[in-house]
């Protein structure tokens, strides 16, 4: 159990009350929890999973010491029929499952983990080779951490992106976003869209709608924590077409099929 807050006296009161009701041990300041390492100073703290990565690389037993600069090659489009089926897919599933948990503190592997997770039912030698590339990337970037200063502004700023028809099997696009509270990265996601987008603008607009829903939920969550955000939350996208449709969906022809997403983003 992690107990946190900005009132040391009340935290001590809660701990004393819990000790009266349950058999428990106070382990002191947070350092390590479920594979996540926390280091702090008077001004900031860092979250990482360095030891978790070391254990993962040991279990993977890579046969070399190579590292790579990126977790996945550019413009790779994996399919179910690529390569030969693995004789024992359990190893692939175990490693991918470990990477899913590692993505809690490593947003830089969110995209490749999303791609590789789609093949856990029937992985092949090609899928496994791309999995090993992610592990080699982690070996070379094992010390990367998430940084959180103790003080920051309370403005939500969000970035969205999308790949159009990137899945060769079903031609569905991918939505991706990240959310910052002040300068703090607090949420990120890569997710396949539920419908086929018939243009890159439509794919980008669906990604913006997904991000808008996440941002709305975060504002509600922060309000429940007593954090009042009175400023507007910015949703940023590089697609001028999607921004134009979101601003005024009525004036654009052939967009009725995405009118709900356009209206929700605009609202």
């Amino acid at each position: 159990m992690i107990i946190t807050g900005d009132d040391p006296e009340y935290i001590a009161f809660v701990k004393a009350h819990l000790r009266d009701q349950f058999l428990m041990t106070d382990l002191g300041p947070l350092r390590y929890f479920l594979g996540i390492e926390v280091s702090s100073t008077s001004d900031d703290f860092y979250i990482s999973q360095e030891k978790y990565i070391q254990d993962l690389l040991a279990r993977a037993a890579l046969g070399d010491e190579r590292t790579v600069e990126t977790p996945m090659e550019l413009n790779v489009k994996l399919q179910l029929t690529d390569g030969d089926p693995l004789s024992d897919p359990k190893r692939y599933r175990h490693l991918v499952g470990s990477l899913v948990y590692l993505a809690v503190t490593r947003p830089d592997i969110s995209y490749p983990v999303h791609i590789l997770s789609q093949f856990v039912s029937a992985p092949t030698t090609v899928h496994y080779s791309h999995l090993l590339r992610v592990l080699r990337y982690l070996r070379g970037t094992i010390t990367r951490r998430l940084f959180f200063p103790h003080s920051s502004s309370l403005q939500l700023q969000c970035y969205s992106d999308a790949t159009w028809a990137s899945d060769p099997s079903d031609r569905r696009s991918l939505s991706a976003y990240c959310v910052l509270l002040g300068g703090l990265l607090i949420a990120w996601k890569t997710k396949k869209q539920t419908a086929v987008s018939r243009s890159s603008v439509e794919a980008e607009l669906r990604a913006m709608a997904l991000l808008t829903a996440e941002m709305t939920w975060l504002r509600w969550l922060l309000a429940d924590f007593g954090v009042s955000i009175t400023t507007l939350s910015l949703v940023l996208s590089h697609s001028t077409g999607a921004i134009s449709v979101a601003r005024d969906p009525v004036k654009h022809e052939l967009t009725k099929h995405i009118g709900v997403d356009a209206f929700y983003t605009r609202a």
Side-chain angles (χ1 to χ4, degrees), residues 62-89:
L62 298 178
D64 55 64
E65 297 296 325
R66 287 186 296 156
T67 61
V68 292
E69 296 294 327
T70 59
M72 180 168 278
E73 296 176 10
L74 189 63
N75 297 324
V76 169
K77 298 186 183 300
L78 298 179
Q79 301 187 56
L80 288 171
T81 55
D82 291 338
D84 300 321
L86 295 177
S87 58
D88 184 10

Side-chain angles (χ1 to χ4, degrees), residues 32-48:
Y32 192 83
F33 183 77
L34 296 178
I36 299 176
E37 302 167 60
V38 179
S39 58
S40 60
T41 66
S42 58
D43 299 322
D44 49 47
F45 64 95
Y46 298 87
I47 295 179
S48 65

Side-chain angles (χ1 to χ4, degrees), residues 179-200:
V179 182
L180 292 90
L181 180 62
L184 315 179
L185 182 62
I186 61 172
W188 58 88
K189 192 170 192 176
T190 301
K191 182 179 181 180
K192 183 183 286 189
Q193 296 181 1
T194 56
V196 176
S197 297
R198 289 182 282 179
S199 68
S200 58

Side-chain angles (χ1 to χ4, degrees), residues 150-163:
H150 285 179
S151 61
S152 177
S153 67
L154 296 179
Q155 182 182 17
L156 282 173
Q157 187 164 306
C158 317
Y159 298 85
S160 74
D161 199 1
T163 62

Side-chain angles (χ1 to χ4, degrees), residues 193-247:
Q193 296 181 1
T194 56
V196 176
S197 297
R198 289 182 282 179
S199 68
S200 58
V201 170
E202 182 178 345
E204 295 281 358
L205 191 60
R206 293 187 191 280
M208 290 173 62
L210 178 67
L211 174 56
T212 303
E214 176 74 8
M215 183 180 61
T216 302
W217 179 81
L218 285 172
R219 289 178 69 99
W220 290 343
L221 179 65
L222 291 170
D224 289 341
F225 288 157
V227 179
S228 177
I229 299 180
T230 58
T231 58
L232 294 177
S233 300
L234 301 178
V235 176
L236 305 177
S237 171
H238 66 86
S239 173
T240 56
I243 294 172
S244 179
V245 174
R247 284 177 175 171

